[in-house]
Amino acid sequence: MRQSVENAVAVCPVEVAVAVLGGSWKLTVVKHLTGGTMRFGELRRAVGPVTPRVLTRQLRDLEADGIVSRTVFAEVPPRVEYALTELGETLRPAVVWLDEWGAAYADREVSQGRP
Amino acid sequence: MRQSVENAVAVCPVEVAVAVLGGSWKLTVVKHLTGGTMRFGELRRAVGPVTPRVLTRQLRDLEADGIVSRTVFAEVPPRVEYALTELGETLRPAVVWLDEWGAAYADREVSQGRP
DNA sequence: CCGAATCCTTCAAGATACTG
DNA sequence: CAGTATCTTGAAGGATTCGG
């Protein structure tokens, strides 16, 4: 268990979820992986403005936390596939819900035009 | 709309949720407020190891994002009450779900004893 | 193609002390 | 009681370059 997660446990279970999913792009990665296995390059293009360095880091974090699996194929050119683990799949409803909530939130902001 | 939120919109709706709720203690604060209005000091004690400076910052962020309301009573001693807004209330199911997920995750880690 | 290595910047979070 | 005022620090994120 990563240190941040371990600290979170002591405070509140919700903080555990934040510790695991809170980094940039992490939920976006999980969301894309709910559609099935993806290669590194696919993920990179799908997520958008993320550098390889950062994406790698997020993926390794998610891997360490048991959310995604990483499969390396010994080929030329190299191929690495990422997929949700069983545990990662349990996040599906939350991802869907938060995705919809975020969209609704953004709409609300636009329609209300708050500064 | 805060800048971070605005950036998030461009990428993915889930990132909006992360931008609004991602800071430390934020979801914990929201969780406690689902139980009803609380004063600053109550919140401080409830959350745990949070300094006033940080708690104030999180509360102001949440207020700016329309999740919590802040009511100042012109009394001596001072009293400030925080409550969920209508928008904040819409987060209730997510908070409950993430709380349970986090608890289950922590249990899993303990039982599996991953380093 | 999938990263690793390097370097850099920024900023959230924490410690501490003080005030209306 | 409910915050500010300063200061410090560590980690996250990003740009760029290089390698298997």
Side-chain angles (χ1 to χ4, degrees):
Chain A
M1 195 182 303
R2 294 219 322 287
Q3 185 59 35
S4 60
V5 176
E6 189 138 12
N7 292 341
V9 176
V11 180
C12 188
V14 287
E15 290 299 321
V16 174
V18 175
V20 174
L21 305 169
S24 346
W25 321 113
K26 279 186 186 173
L27 264 182
T28 302
V29 165
V30 172
K31 177 186 168 187
H32 285 299
L33 289 180
T34 57
T37 297
M38 290 180 82
R39 299 181 57 174
F40 184 87
E42 281 182 291
L43 221 33
R44 181 153 145 62
R45 284 185 297 274
V47 171
V50 64
T51 61
R53 160 115 161 63
V54 171
L55 183 56
T56 299
R57 178 109 170 89
Q58 308 301 320
L59 285 167
R60 292 292 150 83
D61 283 352
L62 289 170
E63 191 188 0
D65 288 331
I67 308 297
V68 308
S69 64
R70 177 171 176 268
T71 310
V72 182
F73 294 85
E75 303 174 356
V76 177
R79 180 161 59 108
V80 180
E81 289 190 346
Y82 293 91
L84 290 182
T85 62
E86 202 172 320
L87 176 60
E89 284 289 348
T90 66
L91 287 169
R92 187 185 292 268
V95 170
V96 171
W97 196 95
L98 289 172
D99 197 47
E100 289 170 0
W101 188 88
Y105 182 91
D107 280 351
R108 186 194 86 99
E109 294 291 340
V110 170
S111 65
Q112 293 198 356
R114 187 163 61 83
Chain B
M1 193 183 303
R2 294 219 322 286
Q3 185 58 36
S4 61
V5 176
E6 190 139 11
N7 292 341
V9 176
V11 180
C12 188
V14 288
E15 290 299 321
V16 175
V18 174
V20 173
L21 305 170
S24 345
W25 321 113
K26 280 187 186 172
L27 266 181
T28 303
V29 166
V30 172
K31 178 187 168 186
H32 285 299
L33 289 180
T34 58
T37 297
M38 291 180 82
R39 300 179 57 170
F40 184 87
E42 282 182 290
L43 222 32
R44 180 154 147 61
R45 284 186 298 275
V47 171
V50 64
T51 61
R53 177 180 185 328
V54 170
L55 182 56
T56 299
R57 176 114 171 86
Q58 308 302 320
L59 284 167
R60 293 290 150 84
D61 283 352
L62 289 170
E63 192 189 358
D65 287 331
I67 308 297
V68 307
S69 65
R70 177 171 176 269
T71 310
V72 181
F73 295 85
E75 302 175 355
V76 176
R79 182 161 58 109
V80 180
E81 289 189 344
Y82 293 91
L84 291 182
T85 62
E86 201 172 323
L87 177 61
E89 284 290 346
T90 66
L91 287 170
R92 188 184 291 266
V95 171
V96 171
W97 196 94
L98 289 172
D99 198 46
E100 289 170 358
W101 187 88
Y105 182 91
D107 280 352
R108 188 194 84 101
E109 294 291 340
V110 169
S111 65
Q112 294 198 352
R114 189 163 61 82

